[in-house]
Amino acid sequence: MPADGEPAPTRSAPDKASRSWSISARLALMFAVTAVAIFTLMGAALYRVLDRELDHYQREQMQGRLADLRYLLEHGRSPQLASRAAAKMEDMERGDPHTRYWLWSDDPRYRYGDGAERLAREVDPDGRIRVVPDAAGQESFAVLGAQLPANDVRPAVQLMIGMDAGAIAGTLLNFRTALMALTPAAALLVAALGYWIAVIGLKPLKQLSAEAQRIGRNRGGERLRLPVLPAELLDLAASFNAALDRLNTAYQQLETFNADVAHELRTPVANMIGQTQVVLSRSRGVAELREVLQSNLEELERLRGIVADMLFLARAEQGERAHDLVAVSLAGEMGKIIDFFDMVLDDAGMRVQVHGDAQVRVQTPLLRRALSNLLQNAIQHSLGSKLISVRIGLRDGMTAELAISNASDPISPEQLRHLFDRFYRVDDARHNSGESHGLGLAIVKAIAAMHAGDVLVSQANGLVTIAIRLPAAMAGPPGSGPAPSGLSAPREASRDNLPLASPRP
């Protein structure tokens, strides 16, 4: 706590190093990365399509022009065929500066174009286009050639047509450049639009956060308003409201528990203080002092019992599980408990009947403590009838159930719901009883939970039935016989190995 004069500590905002990116920024980054990936794939696909289409266009152009010249050379019958072919190729070159023509033959008259002899050796005779440099080595041409056999007018010739490869390469280069420039720009635009969309889309989440921050300790009953939220946030808000309900319930239980503990501890402490003050008010004899010390010892024993039971419940609620499990007979263990309470039953004029049996794997001392608490509770609160009925059986072949029934005054459903709560007593007149501090059935519930079981209570026909359910053992131990009945129980347990808890209402 701050010293006098010092300001109270306040919650500071997280520093920049500890803050992570906002959801809007993350979404914008993911949109940008996705856009880059999509644009890159689309650009690569378009580039391949453009490259293929340009090649197709180039081939069609070259084949068309080659077909015109070939027709002239194959069907021409003029003695000036060589000069006419050269003139035609010269005219075609002037009309399209990106196209070149070559003609090669052993006859010098049928030769046209620089480097025709070299190209005739390099051009594919099967009609495939090849890219070759020109005679000066400065330009590259995609060249398509055709061999024409000799006829009655001319000798065998090789006709070649070439188109400037740099034009198509330049077109592809411009496309790649534009694609590389537009992709980052488009990605940035997508990121900006994505951030704007995310900010708008996350407004309900910010409103939800602001509404949650308004729910404070003094407004514990308030909850988030579900109908006004988008469908995607309904589950989150419902879970948050459920968590608030659990926290509110736990807080109320904690406050009740603290009040109950304080009340339970206050009575024995007040008794000891009062007795001690009376003894110290004047001189006392040894016998009187011994009597006071004996009374204080009883109160201390009660305090020790309360503390021990609370520590046990605390360990159970923290998830502690039973260990050293062994297979035992529920009827046999119940018989030992009945034998232990033999004198109490005789004094009360009561008898216990046990019907059925089942095998369970349990930590034996814990099971005996639970059964002892159940029987002690039934003995203390039996009304009218002197019979306590214990029924044992299997449910669905997987769960063993032991139910103890005794006659009782009617108990309201609200009281039945709280019967396993700590420090809860149905009879308020026994609230300060030194015989009970209201933890017996709470311990039974904790022991059941430690064995992955549960407890339940019901009321019908003037009988209150409290049952404990435990996982059944797959097979009983060797020599286990049929269920004992009545008071026929083995006398194997001594008073020392039957841990008894404080009685429960």
Side-chain angles (χ1 to χ4, degrees), residues 122-322:
E122 296 181 0
V123 171
D124 192 332
D126 295 332
R128 288 179 295 188
I129 297 176
R130 294 188 59 181
V131 178
V132 295
D134 65 353
Q138 297 178 352
E139 295 180 290
S140 295
F141 288 88
V143 181
L144 177 65
Q147 292 183 347
L148 282 68
N151 57 22
D152 54 350
V153 177
R154 56 165 178 78
V157 298
Q158 188 168 354
L159 179 62
M160 294 159 286
I161 180 173
M163 296 188 71
D164 186 6
I168 294 179
T171 301
L172 293 175
L173 177 61
N174 292 335
F175 181 81
R176 287 198 305 270
T177 303
L179 187 65
M180 294 176 64
L182 291 175
T183 296
L188 291 176
L189 179 61
V190 170
L193 292 175
Y195 184 83
W196 177 69
I197 293 173
V199 169
I200 295 178
L202 291 175
K203 277 187 176 180
L205 189 59
K206 291 184 177 180
Q207 295 173 354
L208 179 66
S209 176
E211 188 174 352
Q213 289 177 357
R214 287 196 298 269
I215 300 177
R217 180 174 180 180
N218 297 329
R219 298 181 176 181
E222 292 187 4
R223 296 295 181 265
L224 300 178
R225 293 169 293 176
L226 299 184
V228 300
L229 296 175
E232 293 79 4
L233 295 179
L234 284 177
D235 289 341
L236 175 61
S239 300
F240 185 79
N241 286 342
L244 288 179
D245 291 336
R246 291 192 298 269
L247 288 175
N248 190 44
T249 301
Y251 181 75
Q252 291 177 356
Q253 290 177 346
L254 181 60
E255 287 188 333
T256 304
F257 168 72
N258 291 336
D260 290 339
V261 169
H263 185 80
E264 290 292 336
L265 298 181
R266 181 180 61 184
T267 300
V269 171
N271 291 340
M272 288 189 293
I273 292 176
Q275 292 175 358
T276 304
Q277 288 175 341
V278 170
V279 169
L280 294 177
S281 63
R282 60 183 177 85
S283 299
R284 304 289 179 176
V286 174
E288 194 172 358
L289 290 176
R290 182 182 297 274
E291 182 180 355
V292 172
L293 289 176
Q294 182 65 34
S295 177
N296 286 349
L297 179 60
E298 292 176 0
E299 297 293 346
L300 291 173
E301 289 288 349
R302 181 184 176 190
L303 288 175
R304 183 176 67 174
I306 295 176
V307 172
D309 288 345
M310 290 307 303
L311 289 176
F312 175 81
L313 290 173
R315 292 196 305 270
E317 290 179 355
Q318 289 174 1
E320 183 174 329
R321 292 295 179 182

Side-chain angles (χ1 to χ4, degrees), residues 95 193 385 398:
L193 292 175
S385 174
M398 300 295 294

Side-chain angles (χ1 to χ4, degrees), residues 9-44:
T10 58
R11 180 180 298 178
S12 59
D15 53 63
K16 292 183 179 180
S18 63
R19 284 185 294 181
S20 59
W21 285 22
S22 66
I23 296 180
S24 301
R26 293 181 183 182
L27 289 175
L29 179 60
M30 287 188 286
F31 287 149
V33 172
T34 303
V36 170
I38 293 176
F39 292 153
T40 300
L41 291 176
M42 291 184 60

